[in-house]
Amino acid sequence: METLKQRILADGVALSETVLKVDSFLNHGVDAQLMYEIGTSFKNYFEHHQVTKIFTIESSGIAPAVMTAMQMDLPMVTLKKQSSKILKDDLYQTTVHSFTKSTDYQLTLSKKYISKDDHVLIIDDFLANGEAALGAIRLVEEAGAKVAGIGIVIEKSFQPGRQLLVDKGYDVYSLARISKLGSGIIEFVEE
Ligand code: 5GP
């Protein structure tokens, strides 16, 4: 997605050879117009994948996921990173290792928001080692539902997540695929 790539080049900061900061439009400030265009791109790719529901992982996946859900006219569910007094009964839970925080969290889904007939599109902001996506997949499959695809806003293609997911047979569609990060360097996969 060309507008996204240009925005990453203009505003993104490579904090290291593995971490990209995009606080001005995706992770802190949110550019709603760009999120809308991201939603359109996901819709165009996934509209014939028989998707019944869109899942995302709080919190930075919510903006692109809600724009996709709106344009595909589908329900959306936010997977929680912790349970609470409100969210405590009839849950699916799985442990996920956080790439950015280097800690584990319990990815949580209330059983009432999934049925075995669902075909779920999972949307997230970044794909690195694939831990978050694999956690979401485990919750969907534990419920007996199917994963219709995985939509990623920014994929770091030099990390193993994409290959892991593709090797397991999942359809991964990423809007910007980064091949290299470094001091002052952001390069994309040639497509
Ligand atoms: P994974 O689970 O694939 O290893 O990492 C994906 C998750 O970690 C995403 O949900 C995202 O929140 C976070 N993440 C991974 N890499 C980056 C990065 O370079 N920048 C930012 N801002 N978040 C990242």
mmCIF file of all heavy atoms in Angstrom, residues 22-47:
data_model
loop_
_atom_site.group_PDB
_atom_site.id
_atom_site.type_symbol
_atom_site.label_atom_id
_atom_site.label_comp_id
_atom_site.label_asym_id
_atom_site.label_seq_id
_atom_site.Cartn_x
_atom_site.Cartn_y
_atom_site.Cartn_z
ATOM 1 N N VAL A 22 6.139 4.030 15.121
ATOM 2 C CA VAL A 22 5.205 4.757 14.249
ATOM 3 C C VAL A 22 4.125 5.407 15.109
ATOM 4 O O VAL A 22 2.936 5.281 14.844
ATOM 5 C CB VAL A 22 4.597 3.841 13.146
ATOM 6 C CG1 VAL A 22 5.602 3.534 12.064
ATOM 7 C CG2 VAL A 22 4.049 2.552 13.736
ATOM 8 N N ASP A 23 4.593 6.105 16.141
ATOM 9 C CA ASP A 23 3.692 6.708 17.123
ATOM 10 C C ASP A 23 2.800 7.800 16.552
ATOM 11 O O ASP A 23 1.741 8.072 17.089
ATOM 12 C CB ASP A 23 4.519 7.343 18.257
ATOM 13 C CG ASP A 23 4.784 6.348 19.352
ATOM 14 O OD1 ASP A 23 4.666 5.139 19.074
ATOM 15 O OD2 ASP A 23 5.108 6.778 20.474
ATOM 16 N N SER A 24 3.240 8.441 15.473
ATOM 17 C CA SER A 24 2.474 9.601 15.018
ATOM 18 C C SER A 24 1.205 9.229 14.267
ATOM 19 O O SER A 24 0.292 10.036 14.160
ATOM 20 C CB SER A 24 3.349 10.489 14.134
ATOM 21 O OG SER A 24 3.633 9.804 12.941
ATOM 22 N N PHE A 25 1.100 7.982 13.758
ATOM 23 C CA PHE A 25 -0.125 7.662 13.012
ATOM 24 C C PHE A 25 -0.775 6.326 13.354
ATOM 25 O O PHE A 25 -1.908 6.068 12.961
ATOM 26 C CB PHE A 25 0.123 7.741 11.497
ATOM 27 C CG PHE A 25 1.151 6.768 10.966
ATOM 28 C CD1 PHE A 25 0.764 5.529 10.500
ATOM 29 C CD2 PHE A 25 2.488 7.118 10.914
ATOM 30 C CE1 PHE A 25 1.703 4.639 9.993
ATOM 31 C CE2 PHE A 25 3.436 6.224 10.419
ATOM 32 C CZ PHE A 25 3.053 4.990 9.962
ATOM 33 N N LEU A 26 -0.071 5.451 14.118
ATOM 34 C CA LEU A 26 -0.650 4.122 14.359
ATOM 35 C C LEU A 26 -0.672 3.719 15.836
ATOM 36 O O LEU A 26 -1.666 3.180 16.311
ATOM 37 C CB LEU A 26 0.134 3.085 13.532
ATOM 38 C CG LEU A 26 -0.310 1.620 13.591
ATOM 39 C CD1 LEU A 26 -1.772 1.463 13.169
ATOM 40 C CD2 LEU A 26 0.569 0.751 12.689
ATOM 41 N N ASN A 27 0.409 3.960 16.563
ATOM 42 C CA ASN A 27 0.519 3.421 17.919
ATOM 43 C C ASN A 27 0.198 4.397 19.047
ATOM 44 O O ASN A 27 0.081 3.991 20.205
ATOM 45 C CB ASN A 27 1.924 2.844 18.164
ATOM 46 C CG ASN A 27 2.187 1.605 17.330
ATOM 47 O OD1 ASN A 27 3.269 1.448 16.777
ATOM 48 N ND2 ASN A 27 1.215 0.734 17.222
ATOM 49 N N HIS A 28 0.094 5.671 18.726
ATOM 50 C CA HIS A 28 -0.204 6.654 19.785
ATOM 51 C C HIS A 28 -1.163 7.680 19.167
ATOM 52 O O HIS A 28 -2.365 7.625 19.383
ATOM 53 C CB HIS A 28 1.112 7.276 20.274
ATOM 54 C CG HIS A 28 1.004 7.979 21.595
ATOM 55 N ND1 HIS A 28 -0.005 7.774 22.474
ATOM 56 C CD2 HIS A 28 1.817 8.889 22.187
ATOM 57 C CE1 HIS A 28 0.167 8.523 23.545
ATOM 58 N NE2 HIS A 28 1.262 9.221 23.395
ATOM 59 N N GLY A 29 -0.655 8.577 18.355
ATOM 60 C CA GLY A 29 -1.546 9.337 17.493
ATOM 61 C C GLY A 29 -2.102 8.390 16.437
ATOM 62 O O GLY A 29 -1.417 7.457 16.017
ATOM 63 N N VAL A 30 -3.349 8.621 16.037
ATOM 64 C CA VAL A 30 -3.965 7.760 15.020
ATOM 65 C C VAL A 30 -4.476 8.614 13.869
ATOM 66 O O VAL A 30 -5.265 9.538 14.080
ATOM 67 C CB VAL A 30 -5.127 6.928 15.625
ATOM 68 C CG1 VAL A 30 -5.836 6.130 14.543
ATOM 69 C CG2 VAL A 30 -4.613 5.994 16.713
ATOM 70 N N ASP A 31 -4.009 8.324 12.649
ATOM 71 C CA ASP A 31 -4.477 9.028 11.457
ATOM 72 C C ASP A 31 -5.709 8.282 10.931
ATOM 73 O O ASP A 31 -5.593 7.233 10.286
ATOM 74 C CB ASP A 31 -3.354 9.054 10.409
ATOM 75 C CG ASP A 31 -3.754 9.806 9.157
ATOM 76 O OD1 ASP A 31 -4.967 9.873 8.847
ATOM 77 O OD2 ASP A 31 -2.857 10.323 8.473
ATOM 78 N N ALA A 32 -6.882 8.819 11.237
ATOM 79 C CA ALA A 32 -8.131 8.119 10.921
ATOM 80 C C ALA A 32 -8.306 7.924 9.412
ATOM 81 O O ALA A 32 -8.810 6.892 8.964
ATOM 82 C CB ALA A 32 -9.314 8.877 11.510
ATOM 83 N N GLN A 33 -7.911 8.929 8.632
ATOM 84 C CA GLN A 33 -8.051 8.811 7.173
ATOM 85 C C GLN A 33 -7.189 7.662 6.638
ATOM 86 O O GLN A 33 -7.637 6.844 5.824
ATOM 87 C CB GLN A 33 -7.653 10.130 6.492
ATOM 88 C CG GLN A 33 -7.863 10.135 4.987
ATOM 89 C CD GLN A 33 -9.317 9.874 4.587
ATOM 90 O OE1 GLN A 33 -10.238 10.448 5.178
ATOM 91 N NE2 GLN A 33 -9.531 9.002 3.611
ATOM 92 N N LEU A 34 -5.949 7.597 7.132
ATOM 93 C CA LEU A 34 -5.066 6.496 6.722
ATOM 94 C C LEU A 34 -5.642 5.155 7.187
ATOM 95 O O LEU A 34 -5.599 4.165 6.450
ATOM 96 C CB LEU A 34 -3.655 6.712 7.288
ATOM 97 C CG LEU A 34 -2.608 5.665 6.911
ATOM 98 C CD1 LEU A 34 -2.360 5.652 5.406
ATOM 99 C CD2 LEU A 34 -1.292 5.923 7.651
ATOM 100 N N MET A 35 -6.195 5.126 8.397
ATOM 101 C CA MET A 35 -6.810 3.882 8.902
ATOM 102 C C MET A 35 -7.969 3.462 8.010
ATOM 103 O O MET A 35 -8.191 2.284 7.756
ATOM 104 C CB MET A 35 -7.302 4.059 10.354
ATOM 105 C CG MET A 35 -6.209 4.290 11.362
ATOM 106 S SD MET A 35 -4.957 2.999 11.376
ATOM 107 C CE MET A 35 -3.482 3.989 11.184
ATOM 108 N N TYR A 36 -8.718 4.446 7.512
ATOM 109 C CA TYR A 36 -9.835 4.137 6.614
ATOM 110 C C TYR A 36 -9.307 3.485 5.335
ATOM 111 O O TYR A 36 -9.840 2.478 4.852
ATOM 112 C CB TYR A 36 -10.626 5.414 6.285
ATOM 113 C CG TYR A 36 -11.858 5.113 5.478
ATOM 114 C CD1 TYR A 36 -13.047 4.750 6.113
ATOM 115 C CD2 TYR A 36 -11.831 5.151 4.086
ATOM 116 C CE1 TYR A 36 -14.170 4.433 5.372
ATOM 117 C CE2 TYR A 36 -12.959 4.833 3.342
ATOM 118 C CZ TYR A 36 -14.120 4.479 3.992
ATOM 119 O OH TYR A 36 -15.232 4.147 3.259
ATOM 120 N N GLU A 37 -8.221 4.052 4.794
ATOM 121 C CA GLU A 37 -7.639 3.489 3.560
ATOM 122 C C GLU A 37 -7.083 2.085 3.818
ATOM 123 O O GLU A 37 -7.159 1.210 2.951
ATOM 124 C CB GLU A 37 -6.538 4.413 3.035
ATOM 125 C CG GLU A 37 -7.092 5.720 2.487
ATOM 126 C CD GLU A 37 -5.999 6.746 2.207
ATOM 127 O OE1 GLU A 37 -4.907 6.355 1.775
ATOM 128 O OE2 GLU A 37 -6.262 7.945 2.437
ATOM 129 N N ILE A 38 -6.536 1.880 5.003
ATOM 130 C CA ILE A 38 -6.058 0.542 5.390
ATOM 131 C C ILE A 38 -7.239 -0.436 5.418
ATOM 132 O O ILE A 38 -7.149 -1.558 4.906
ATOM 133 C CB ILE A 38 -5.338 0.632 6.762
ATOM 134 C CG1 ILE A 38 -3.947 1.251 6.568
ATOM 135 C CG2 ILE A 38 -5.248 -0.727 7.452
ATOM 136 C CD1 ILE A 38 -3.233 1.644 7.854
ATOM 137 N N GLY A 39 -8.352 0.028 5.971
ATOM 138 C CA GLY A 39 -9.570 -0.797 5.997
ATOM 139 C C GLY A 39 -10.014 -1.175 4.593
ATOM 140 O O GLY A 39 -10.421 -2.312 4.329
ATOM 141 N N THR A 40 -9.908 -0.220 3.664
ATOM 142 C CA THR A 40 -10.297 -0.491 2.276
ATOM 143 C C THR A 40 -9.389 -1.568 1.671
ATOM 144 O O THR A 40 -9.861 -2.482 0.978
ATOM 145 C CB THR A 40 -10.193 0.802 1.429
ATOM 146 O OG1 THR A 40 -10.927 1.836 2.094
ATOM 147 C CG2 THR A 40 -10.737 0.603 0.032
ATOM 148 N N SER A 41 -8.091 -1.471 1.933
ATOM 149 C CA SER A 41 -7.149 -2.460 1.376
ATOM 150 C C SER A 41 -7.433 -3.859 1.916
ATOM 151 O O SER A 41 -7.425 -4.834 1.162
ATOM 152 C CB SER A 41 -5.707 -2.088 1.723
ATOM 153 O OG SER A 41 -5.354 -0.917 1.070
ATOM 154 N N PHE A 42 -7.686 -3.942 3.227
ATOM 155 C CA PHE A 42 -8.004 -5.266 3.789
ATOM 156 C C PHE A 42 -9.320 -5.789 3.206
ATOM 157 O O PHE A 42 -9.436 -6.967 2.887
ATOM 158 C CB PHE A 42 -8.085 -5.203 5.317
ATOM 159 C CG PHE A 42 -6.739 -5.155 6.001
ATOM 160 C CD1 PHE A 42 -6.536 -4.339 7.109
ATOM 161 C CD2 PHE A 42 -5.680 -5.935 5.556
ATOM 162 C CE1 PHE A 42 -5.304 -4.302 7.751
ATOM 163 C CE2 PHE A 42 -4.434 -5.894 6.191
ATOM 164 C CZ PHE A 42 -4.245 -5.074 7.296
ATOM 165 N N LYS A 43 -10.293 -4.907 3.078
ATOM 166 C CA LYS A 43 -11.579 -5.337 2.506
ATOM 167 C C LYS A 43 -11.370 -5.877 1.088
ATOM 168 O O LYS A 43 -11.876 -6.943 0.728
ATOM 169 C CB LYS A 43 -12.558 -4.173 2.478
ATOM 170 C CG LYS A 43 -13.865 -4.554 1.844
ATOM 171 C CD LYS A 43 -14.727 -3.383 1.506
ATOM 172 C CE LYS A 43 -15.819 -3.884 0.581
ATOM 173 N NZ LYS A 43 -16.801 -2.897 0.248
ATOM 174 N N ASN A 44 -10.619 -5.132 0.279
ATOM 175 C CA ASN A 44 -10.423 -5.557 -1.115
ATOM 176 C C ASN A 44 -9.767 -6.935 -1.190
ATOM 177 O O ASN A 44 -10.101 -7.743 -2.051
ATOM 178 C CB ASN A 44 -9.569 -4.533 -1.870
ATOM 179 C CG ASN A 44 -10.334 -3.251 -2.122
ATOM 180 O OD1 ASN A 44 -11.568 -3.233 -2.026
ATOM 181 N ND2 ASN A 44 -9.621 -2.170 -2.412
ATOM 182 N N TYR A 45 -8.848 -7.204 -0.271
ATOM 183 C CA TYR A 45 -8.161 -8.497 -0.317
ATOM 184 C C TYR A 45 -9.025 -9.627 0.247
ATOM 185 O O TYR A 45 -9.055 -10.734 -0.301
ATOM 186 C CB TYR A 45 -6.835 -8.421 0.444
ATOM 187 C CG TYR A 45 -6.040 -9.704 0.326
ATOM 188 C CD1 TYR A 45 -5.249 -9.950 -0.797
ATOM 189 C CD2 TYR A 45 -6.119 -10.698 1.309
ATOM 190 C CE1 TYR A 45 -4.547 -11.146 -0.927
ATOM 191 C CE2 TYR A 45 -5.417 -11.887 1.181
ATOM 192 C CZ TYR A 45 -4.631 -12.099 0.064
ATOM 193 O OH TYR A 45 -3.946 -13.290 -0.070
ATOM 194 N N PHE A 46 -9.721 -9.355 1.354
ATOM 195 C CA PHE A 46 -10.382 -10.450 2.080
ATOM 196 C C PHE A 46 -11.881 -10.582 1.786
ATOM 197 O O PHE A 46 -12.531 -11.443 2.367
ATOM 198 C CB PHE A 46 -10.189 -10.268 3.596
ATOM 199 C CG PHE A 46 -8.783 -10.587 4.062
ATOM 200 C CD1 PHE A 46 -7.935 -9.581 4.511
ATOM 201 C CD2 PHE A 46 -8.314 -11.890 4.044
ATOM 202 C CE1 PHE A 46 -6.638 -9.874 4.941
ATOM 203 C CE2 PHE A 46 -7.018 -12.193 4.474
ATOM 204 C CZ PHE A 46 -6.185 -11.191 4.916
ATOM 205 N N GLU A 47 -12.420 -9.762 0.886
ATOM 206 C CA GLU A 47 -13.895 -9.778 0.781
ATOM 207 C C GLU A 47 -14.465 -11.091 0.255
ATOM 208 O O GLU A 47 -15.634 -11.384 0.478
ATOM 209 C CB GLU A 47 -14.431 -8.576 -0.002
ATOM 210 C CG GLU A 47 -14.046 -8.487 -1.427
ATOM 211 C CD GLU A 47 -14.526 -7.166 -2.040
ATOM 212 O OE1 GLU A 47 -15.433 -6.531 -1.477
ATOM 213 O OE2 GLU A 47 -13.976 -6.783 -3.082
#
